[in-house]
Amino acid sequence: MGVRVMVLDEHRLLAEALASALKLRGHRVLAAAAPAAGAAELVISRAPEVCLLGTATPAEPGVFEPVVRIKRERPQIAVVVLGPVPSPRGIAAAFAAGASGYVRHDERIEGVERALAKARAGEVAISPQLLQGAFAELLNPAAQPDDEGSRLLRLLTPREVEVLVRVAEGEDTRLIAAGMEIAPSTARTHVQRVLMKLGVGSRLEAAALAARTGLLDRAGLSAVAADFPAGP
């Protein structure tokens, strides 16, 4: 038996495409919309069995407030969040708000149908693979950018940090040597040491790593601290 469902997503094309696919498979779609606001009011007024609620930022504070309101005013409505590959925090936030499930945006239509059926039956609707990925990340958390940037910064001498900043700004060996008032051969040696310590094979990789980990921002803070040391 088909599910009475609403599809809400900020990307209207995605909402309408998913709604069309569900209609073709025998489900009763009450609405497919992309409201910038008023999602909770729309769901409460139409009272579907299940609401598929899309979000692009599952870990952002307050993003699941519509779920909280729907569950407070119409607890019989099951809400399944439709979102990107989430962090464990994103999944936890969805369920803490009262969601019955979490489905990835790139899930096959069969997976979406299974989630709808489970949510309507009062079951938790989340794939084992998604749970496995969340638990794996919790057990083996990736280093945060600032933490990784700090670790890498500690590997470099102040001179090498300056070299890395210049590399990131696109300076070649000649410009680095002129700017630091050192011989080109010395500049080349500094660059090679920076690459070796960072574990990368090229200047481009070094610049990308520095940007990704926030190392350059950390280097700037260190320079300010050196210029303005704390008083006694």
Side-chain angles (χ1 to χ4, degrees), residues 157-220:
T157 67
R159 199 74 156 165
E160 289 165 349
V161 170
E162 183 180 354
V163 169
L164 177 60
V165 170
R166 291 177 179 275
V167 166
E169 290 175 349
E171 294 186 7
D172 58 19
T173 302
R174 179 180 57 81
L175 287 174
I176 292 173
M180 297 180 66
E181 298 182 347
I182 56 178
S185 59
T186 304
R188 194 173 299 109
T189 298
H190 281 316
V191 170
Q192 290 304 315
R193 285 179 178 167
V194 169
L195 299 184
M196 181 185 67
K197 287 185 177 183
L198 296 182
V200 296
S202 70
R203 297 178 184 219
L204 185 59
E205 287 181 78
L209 178 65
R212 189 176 73 247
T213 60
L215 198 160
L216 294 180
D217 293 334
R218 290 280 179 176

Side-chain angles (χ1 to χ4, degrees), residues 4-6 20-21 23 28 35 57 68 111-113 129 143 146 150 183 197 206 212 217 227:
R4 197 169 71 253
V5 61
M6 287 183 67
S20 296
K23 283 180 182 177
R28 184 183 172 195
T57 54
V68 174
V112 176
E113 282 191 298
Q129 294 84 359
D146 281 352
S150 296
K197 287 185 177 183
R212 189 176 73 247
D217 293 334
D227 289 340

Side-chain angles (χ1 to χ4, degrees), residues 59-147:
E60 185 175 304
V63 73
F64 294 123
E65 282 304 314
V67 182
V68 174
R69 183 174 172 195
I70 291 167
K71 297 305 291 184
R72 183 175 65 243
E73 299 193 24
R74 292 286 183 114
Q76 72 275 22
I77 299 174
V79 180
V80 175
V81 173
L82 186 66
V85 179
S87 67
R89 190 161 58 114
I91 292 179
F95 282 101
S100 299
Y102 194 106
V103 176
R104 282 173 47 168
H105 275 137
D106 58 357
E107 179 63 77
R108 295 171 64 88
I109 189 65
E110 293 84 0
V112 176
E113 282 191 298
R114 283 193 295 271
L116 293 179
K118 283 188 173 183
R120 182 175 63 176
E123 300 175 21
V124 174
I126 185 169
S127 72
Q129 294 84 359
L130 207 54
L131 272 182
Q132 273 186 333
F135 280 126
E137 188 174 334
L138 285 171
L139 293 172
N140 302 286
Q144 294 299 312
D146 281 352
D147 293 341

